[in-house]
Short mmCIF file of all heavy atoms in Angstrom, two decimals:
data_model
loop_
_atom_site.label_atom_id
_atom_site.label_comp_id
_atom_site.label_asym_id
_atom_site.label_seq_id
_atom_site.Cartn_x
_atom_site.Cartn_y
_atom_site.Cartn_z
N LYS V 1 11.29 22.43 -0.40
CA LYS V 1 9.95 22.47 -1.01
C LYS V 1 9.08 21.27 -0.65
O LYS V 1 7.97 21.16 -1.15
CB LYS V 1 10.08 22.56 -2.53
CG LYS V 1 10.76 23.83 -3.00
CD LYS V 1 10.85 23.88 -4.50
CE LYS V 1 11.54 25.15 -4.96
NZ LYS V 1 11.64 25.25 -6.40
N ASN V 2 9.57 20.39 0.19
CA ASN V 2 8.83 19.15 0.46
C ASN V 2 8.73 18.89 1.95
O ASN V 2 9.74 18.85 2.65
CB ASN V 2 9.54 17.99 -0.24
CG ASN V 2 8.74 16.71 -0.22
OD1 ASN V 2 7.57 16.71 0.11
ND2 ASN V 2 9.39 15.63 -0.56
N THR V 3 7.50 18.71 2.42
CA THR V 3 7.25 18.35 3.81
C THR V 3 6.31 17.14 3.86
O THR V 3 5.60 16.86 2.90
CB THR V 3 6.61 19.50 4.60
OG1 THR V 3 5.35 19.84 4.01
CG2 THR V 3 7.51 20.72 4.65
N LEU V 4 6.35 16.45 4.97
CA LEU V 4 5.45 15.33 5.22
C LEU V 4 4.83 15.49 6.59
O LEU V 4 5.52 15.84 7.54
CB LEU V 4 6.22 14.00 5.21
CG LEU V 4 6.54 13.34 3.90
CD1 LEU V 4 7.41 12.12 4.13
CD2 LEU V 4 5.27 12.93 3.19
N ARG V 5 3.57 15.23 6.67
CA ARG V 5 2.91 15.25 7.97
C ARG V 5 2.89 13.84 8.54
O ARG V 5 2.86 12.86 7.79
CB ARG V 5 1.49 15.78 7.85
CG ARG V 5 1.48 17.23 7.48
CD ARG V 5 0.07 17.74 7.29
NE ARG V 5 0.14 19.12 6.89
CZ ARG V 5 -0.40 20.11 7.57
NH1 ARG V 5 -1.08 19.86 8.66
NH2 ARG V 5 -0.28 21.34 7.15
N ASN V 6 2.91 13.73 9.84
CA ASN V 6 2.95 12.43 10.48
C ASN V 6 1.81 11.50 10.05
O ASN V 6 2.06 10.31 9.79
CB ASN V 6 2.98 12.60 12.00
CG ASN V 6 3.55 11.41 12.68
OD1 ASN V 6 4.71 11.08 12.47
ND2 ASN V 6 2.75 10.74 13.48
N PRO V 7 0.57 11.96 9.93
CA PRO V 7 -0.50 11.04 9.50
C PRO V 7 -0.26 10.43 8.12
O PRO V 7 -0.69 9.31 7.85
CB PRO V 7 -1.75 11.92 9.49
CG PRO V 7 -1.47 12.99 10.48
CD PRO V 7 0.02 13.26 10.33
N THR V 8 0.48 11.14 7.25
CA THR V 8 0.81 10.60 5.94
C THR V 8 1.70 9.36 6.07
O THR V 8 1.54 8.38 5.34
CB THR V 8 1.52 11.66 5.08
OG1 THR V 8 0.69 12.81 5.00
CG2 THR V 8 1.82 11.16 3.69
N LEU V 9 2.62 9.39 7.03
CA LEU V 9 3.49 8.24 7.26
C LEU V 9 2.77 7.08 7.95
O LEU V 9 3.22 5.94 7.89
CB LEU V 9 4.71 8.65 8.08
CG LEU V 9 5.71 9.54 7.39
CD1 LEU V 9 6.78 10.00 8.37
CD2 LEU V 9 6.34 8.81 6.22
N GLU V 10 1.66 7.38 8.60
CA GLU V 10 0.91 6.31 9.27
C GLU V 10 0.15 5.43 8.28
O GLU V 10 -0.19 4.30 8.61
CB GLU V 10 -0.05 6.90 10.29
CG GLU V 10 0.67 7.44 11.51
CD GLU V 10 -0.26 8.04 12.53
OE1 GLU V 10 -1.46 8.23 12.23
OE2 GLU V 10 0.20 8.31 13.66
N ILE V 11 -0.08 5.91 7.07
CA ILE V 11 -0.80 5.11 6.07
C ILE V 11 -0.01 3.85 5.72
O ILE V 11 -0.54 2.74 5.85
CB ILE V 11 -1.15 5.96 4.83
CG1 ILE V 11 -2.13 7.06 5.22
CG2 ILE V 11 -1.70 5.08 3.71
CD1 ILE V 11 -2.33 8.13 4.16
N PRO V 12 1.27 3.96 5.30
CA PRO V 12 2.01 2.73 5.02
C PRO V 12 2.28 1.91 6.28
O PRO V 12 2.39 0.68 6.22
CB PRO V 12 3.31 3.21 4.37
CG PRO V 12 3.44 4.63 4.74
CD PRO V 12 2.05 5.14 4.95
N LEU V 13 2.37 2.57 7.42
CA LEU V 13 2.57 1.86 8.68
C LEU V 13 1.38 0.95 8.97
O LEU V 13 1.54 -0.22 9.30
CB LEU V 13 2.76 2.88 9.81
CG LEU V 13 3.15 2.34 11.16
CD1 LEU V 13 4.56 1.77 11.12
CD2 LEU V 13 3.06 3.44 12.21
N LYS V 14 0.18 1.48 8.78
CA LYS V 14 -1.04 0.70 8.99
C LYS V 14 -1.09 -0.48 8.01
O LYS V 14 -1.38 -1.60 8.39
CB LYS V 14 -2.27 1.57 8.81
CG LYS V 14 -3.57 0.81 8.98
CD LYS V 14 -4.76 1.70 8.76
CE LYS V 14 -6.04 0.91 8.90
NZ LYS V 14 -7.23 1.72 8.65
N GLU V 15 -0.79 -0.20 6.74
CA GLU V 15 -0.83 -1.26 5.73
C GLU V 15 0.19 -2.36 6.03
O GLU V 15 -0.08 -3.53 5.82
CB GLU V 15 -0.57 -0.67 4.35
CG GLU V 15 -1.69 0.21 3.86
CD GLU V 15 -1.37 0.97 2.59
OE1 GLU V 15 -0.23 0.86 2.09
OE2 GLU V 15 -2.25 1.68 2.10
N LYS V 16 1.34 -1.97 6.53
CA LYS V 16 2.41 -2.92 6.78
C LYS V 16 2.14 -3.82 7.99
O LYS V 16 2.47 -5.00 7.98
CB LYS V 16 3.72 -2.16 6.99
CG LYS V 16 4.93 -3.03 7.09
CD LYS V 16 6.17 -2.17 7.07
CE LYS V 16 7.39 -3.06 6.95
NZ LYS V 16 8.58 -2.32 6.70
N TYR V 17 1.52 -3.27 9.02
CA TYR V 17 1.38 -4.00 10.27
C TYR V 17 -0.05 -4.41 10.61
O TYR V 17 -0.31 -4.85 11.71
CB TYR V 17 1.99 -3.19 11.42
CG TYR V 17 3.48 -3.05 11.24
CD1 TYR V 17 4.04 -1.86 10.83
CD2 TYR V 17 4.31 -4.14 11.43
CE1 TYR V 17 5.40 -1.74 10.63
CE2 TYR V 17 5.68 -4.04 11.23
CZ TYR V 17 6.22 -2.83 10.84
OH TYR V 17 7.57 -2.72 10.64
N THR V 18 -0.97 -4.28 9.67
CA THR V 18 -2.31 -4.80 9.87
C THR V 18 -2.40 -6.11 9.11
O THR V 18 -2.17 -6.14 7.90
CB THR V 18 -3.38 -3.81 9.34
OG1 THR V 18 -3.25 -2.58 10.06
CG2 THR V 18 -4.78 -4.35 9.55
N ARG V 19 -2.68 -7.16 9.82
CA ARG V 19 -2.75 -8.47 9.18
C ARG V 19 -4.04 -8.62 8.41
O ARG V 19 -5.10 -8.27 8.88
CB ARG V 19 -2.64 -9.56 10.23
CG ARG V 19 -1.31 -9.60 10.89
CD ARG V 19 -1.20 -10.78 11.78
NE ARG V 19 0.14 -10.81 12.34
CZ ARG V 19 0.44 -11.39 13.46
NH1 ARG V 19 -0.49 -12.01 14.15
NH2 ARG V 19 1.66 -11.37 13.91
N LYS V 20 -3.93 -9.21 7.27
CA LYS V 20 -5.10 -9.48 6.45
C LYS V 20 -5.39 -10.97 6.52
O LYS V 20 -4.51 -11.80 6.33
CB LYS V 20 -4.86 -9.05 5.01
CG LYS V 20 -4.48 -7.58 4.91
CD LYS V 20 -4.90 -7.01 3.60
CE LYS V 20 -4.45 -5.62 3.36
NZ LYS V 20 -4.64 -4.63 4.30
N SER V 21 -6.62 -11.29 6.80
CA SER V 21 -7.02 -12.68 6.92
C SER V 21 -7.39 -13.23 5.55
O SER V 21 -8.06 -12.59 4.76
CB SER V 21 -8.22 -12.79 7.86
OG SER V 21 -8.74 -14.10 7.84
N LEU V 22 -6.96 -14.44 5.27
CA LEU V 22 -7.33 -15.08 4.02
C LEU V 22 -8.75 -15.64 4.07
O LEU V 22 -9.36 -15.92 3.05
CB LEU V 22 -6.35 -16.22 3.71
CG LEU V 22 -4.91 -15.80 3.45
CD1 LEU V 22 -4.03 -17.03 3.27
CD2 LEU V 22 -4.82 -14.91 2.23
N LEU V 23 -9.27 -15.83 5.26
CA LEU V 23 -10.60 -16.41 5.41
C LEU V 23 -11.72 -15.40 5.20
O LEU V 23 -12.83 -15.77 4.88
CB LEU V 23 -10.75 -17.07 6.79
CG LEU V 23 -9.74 -18.19 7.07
CD1 LEU V 23 -9.89 -18.69 8.49
CD2 LEU V 23 -9.94 -19.33 6.08
N ASP V 24 -11.42 -14.14 5.41
CA ASP V 24 -12.44 -13.12 5.16
C ASP V 24 -11.78 -11.89 4.55
O ASP V 24 -10.57 -11.81 4.44
CB ASP V 24 -13.21 -12.76 6.45
CG ASP V 24 -12.31 -12.19 7.52
OD1 ASP V 24 -11.21 -11.68 7.21
OD2 ASP V 24 -12.70 -12.23 8.68
N LEU V 25 -12.57 -10.97 4.15
CA LEU V 25 -12.05 -9.78 3.48
C LEU V 25 -11.73 -8.65 4.44
O LEU V 25 -11.32 -7.58 4.03
CB LEU V 25 -13.06 -9.31 2.42
CG LEU V 25 -13.35 -10.31 1.31
CD1 LEU V 25 -14.43 -9.77 0.39
CD2 LEU V 25 -12.10 -10.63 0.52
N HIS V 26 -11.94 -8.90 5.71
CA HIS V 26 -11.70 -7.85 6.71
C HIS V 26 -10.30 -7.98 7.28
O HIS V 26 -9.76 -9.07 7.42
CB HIS V 26 -12.73 -7.95 7.85
CG HIS V 26 -14.13 -7.81 7.37
ND1 HIS V 26 -14.66 -6.62 6.96
CD2 HIS V 26 -15.10 -8.73 7.22
CE1 HIS V 26 -15.90 -6.80 6.57
NE2 HIS V 26 -16.20 -8.07 6.72
N SER V 27 -9.72 -6.86 7.63
CA SER V 27 -8.41 -6.85 8.27
C SER V 27 -8.60 -6.94 9.77
O SER V 27 -9.52 -6.36 10.32
CB SER V 27 -7.67 -5.56 7.94
OG SER V 27 -7.47 -5.46 6.56
N SER V 28 -7.72 -7.68 10.41
CA SER V 28 -7.73 -7.67 11.87
C SER V 28 -6.92 -6.46 12.29
O SER V 28 -5.70 -6.43 12.17
CB SER V 28 -7.12 -8.95 12.43
OG SER V 28 -5.79 -9.07 12.03
N SER V 29 -7.59 -5.44 12.71
CA SER V 29 -6.89 -4.18 12.97
C SER V 29 -6.29 -4.17 14.37
O SER V 29 -6.84 -4.74 15.30
CB SER V 29 -7.84 -3.00 12.79
OG SER V 29 -8.91 -3.11 13.67
N CYS V 30 -5.17 -3.55 14.49
CA CYS V 30 -4.51 -3.30 15.76
C CYS V 30 -4.57 -1.79 15.97
O CYS V 30 -4.87 -1.05 15.06
CB CYS V 30 -3.05 -3.72 15.72
SG CYS V 30 -2.70 -5.24 14.88
N ASP V 31 -4.23 -1.39 17.16
CA ASP V 31 -4.20 0.05 17.39
C ASP V 31 -2.87 0.63 16.94
O ASP V 31 -1.92 -0.08 16.62
CB ASP V 31 -4.49 0.37 18.85
CG ASP V 31 -3.47 -0.24 19.80
OD1 ASP V 31 -2.46 -0.80 19.33
OD2 ASP V 31 -3.68 -0.14 21.01
N LYS V 32 -2.81 1.94 16.90
CA LYS V 32 -1.61 2.63 16.42
C LYS V 32 -0.39 2.29 17.26
O LYS V 32 0.72 2.21 16.73
CB LYS V 32 -1.82 4.14 16.43
CG LYS V 32 -2.67 4.65 15.31
CD LYS V 32 -2.72 6.16 15.35
CE LYS V 32 -3.64 6.68 14.28
NZ LYS V 32 -3.66 8.14 14.25
N THR V 33 -0.59 2.08 18.54
CA THR V 33 0.54 1.75 19.40
C THR V 33 1.23 0.49 18.92
O THR V 33 2.46 0.42 18.86
CB THR V 33 0.08 1.57 20.85
OG1 THR V 33 -0.60 2.75 21.28
CG2 THR V 33 1.24 1.29 21.78
N THR V 34 0.47 -0.52 18.53
CA THR V 34 1.03 -1.77 18.03
C THR V 34 1.79 -1.55 16.73
O THR V 34 2.87 -2.11 16.53
CB THR V 34 -0.08 -2.82 17.83
OG1 THR V 34 -0.79 -2.97 19.05
CG2 THR V 34 0.48 -4.15 17.39
N TRP V 35 1.26 -0.72 15.85
CA TRP V 35 1.95 -0.42 14.59
C TRP V 35 3.31 0.20 14.87
O TRP V 35 4.32 -0.21 14.33
CB TRP V 35 1.18 0.55 13.73
CG TRP V 35 -0.22 0.19 13.38
CD1 TRP V 35 -0.80 -1.05 13.41
CD2 TRP V 35 -1.23 1.09 12.95
NE1 TRP V 35 -2.10 -0.95 13.02
CE2 TRP V 35 -2.39 0.34 12.73
CE3 TRP V 35 -1.25 2.46 12.72
CZ2 TRP V 35 -3.58 0.91 12.29
CZ3 TRP V 35 -2.43 3.04 12.29
CH2 TRP V 35 -3.58 2.26 12.07
N TYR V 36 3.30 1.21 15.74
CA TYR V 36 4.54 1.92 16.05
C TYR V 36 5.55 1.00 16.75
O TYR V 36 6.73 1.02 16.44
CB TYR V 36 4.26 3.14 16.92
CG TYR V 36 3.87 4.37 16.14
CD1 TYR V 36 2.54 4.63 15.84
CD2 TYR V 36 4.83 5.27 15.71
CE1 TYR V 36 2.18 5.77 15.13
CE2 TYR V 36 4.48 6.41 15.00
CZ TYR V 36 3.15 6.65 14.72
OH TYR V 36 2.81 7.76 14.01
#
């Protein structure tokens, strides 16, 4: 009764591997390849 789509798993992946700067409120984003 339970399935997951790949984009759903990319949400925590992005949160985990996107660095947040303390100097500003913006994240320094990387591309998906770097996350994976």
Side-chain angles (χ1 to χ4, degrees):
K1 297 180 181 181
N2 189 13
T3 61
L4 278 174
R5 292 177 182 240
N6 202 62
T8 304
L9 290 173
E10 288 180 349
I11 295 168
L13 187 68
K14 178 181 179 182
E15 291 171 357
K16 187 171 189 170
Y17 295 105
T18 300
R19 293 187 177 155
K20 303 208 186 310
S21 172
L22 295 176
L23 300 175
D24 62 21
L25 299 176
H26 301 287
S27 298
S28 62
S29 60
C30 319
D31 61 7
K32 284 185 184 183
T33 304
T34 305
W35 305 340
Y36 276 90

